[in-house]
Amino acid sequence: MEVFIIRSRIKELRKILGINQDLFANRISMSRSNLANIENGNVSLTDRVKNNIITEFNVNEEWFVTGKGEVFNNITSNLIDQLIKENSLDEIDKQTLTYFIQLDEASRKQVLGYIHRLLEEKNIN
């Protein structure tokens, strides 16, 4: 039963990502036919392939194995926490970074344009 569940998770993950077997297989360094054989139950999923899927697509291992939890790891908050630590930033900086990331592309461009103008003014004076 667990083998079937893992196979169905691979198919589900591909659908979530919106990619076909060719692209998925290429991203985890395997042939499309080998991936198809895994999905069809003709070949067992190895730990190497499982780990490649988890790493390449930032998949939550608990979801991949058990179906529990979120599909993807929250890499954004981990990266922000790392930036905060490495650059001695405070809570306001963290909130600013988090808010900036959540903006749509047009709004981010506006904010960056404003920052660039401030930096240009500072360099002129």
Side-chain angles (χ1 to χ4, degrees):
M1 173 104 172
E2 187 171 316
V3 172
F4 173 76
I5 293 170
I6 295 288
R7 291 190 336 243
S8 67
R9 290 237 174 64
I10 294 172
K11 290 178 185 179
E12 183 178 352
L13 180 60
R14 284 194 308 99
K15 287 180 183 178
I16 291 168
L17 294 168
I19 59 178
N20 61 27
Q21 284 183 334
D22 286 323
L23 183 56
F24 191 93
N26 188 18
R27 298 252 318 253
I28 59 170
S29 302
M30 72 181 331
S31 69
R32 189 214 52 82
S33 61
N34 195 17
L35 177 63
N37 282 325
I38 291 170
E39 287 187 2
N40 293 326
N42 301 328
V43 174
S44 296
L45 177 71
T46 64
D47 284 339
R48 181 193 68 81
V49 173
K50 180 184 97 170
N51 291 334
N52 285 355
I53 291 169
I54 289 168
T55 301
E56 177 62 26
F57 299 106
N58 192 37
V59 173
N60 176 352
E61 185 172 6
E62 181 180 0
W63 173 83
F64 193 72
V65 174
T66 69
K68 296 177 183 172
E70 298 295 320
V71 175
F72 300 104
N73 292 316
N74 187 348
I75 194 164
T76 302
S77 63
N78 293 340
L79 288 173
I80 290 174
D81 289 342
Q82 185 177 350
L83 284 170
I84 299 299
K85 184 178 179 180
E86 290 176 0
N87 295 285
S88 302
L89 302 176
D90 63 18
E91 188 60 31
I92 293 173
D93 297 325
K94 181 177 182 176
Q95 289 174 357
T96 303
L97 286 170
T98 302
Y99 180 71
F100 177 77
I101 289 168
Q102 293 172 349
L103 292 173
D104 60 65
E105 184 179 357
S107 297
R108 282 196 309 264
K109 285 183 179 180
Q110 286 180 336
V111 170
L112 289 174
Y114 177 73
I115 291 170
H116 287 229
R117 285 190 299 279
L118 287 175
L119 292 173
E120 286 173 358
E121 288 176 12
K122 185 176 179 178
N123 287 335
I124 291 174
N125 296 330

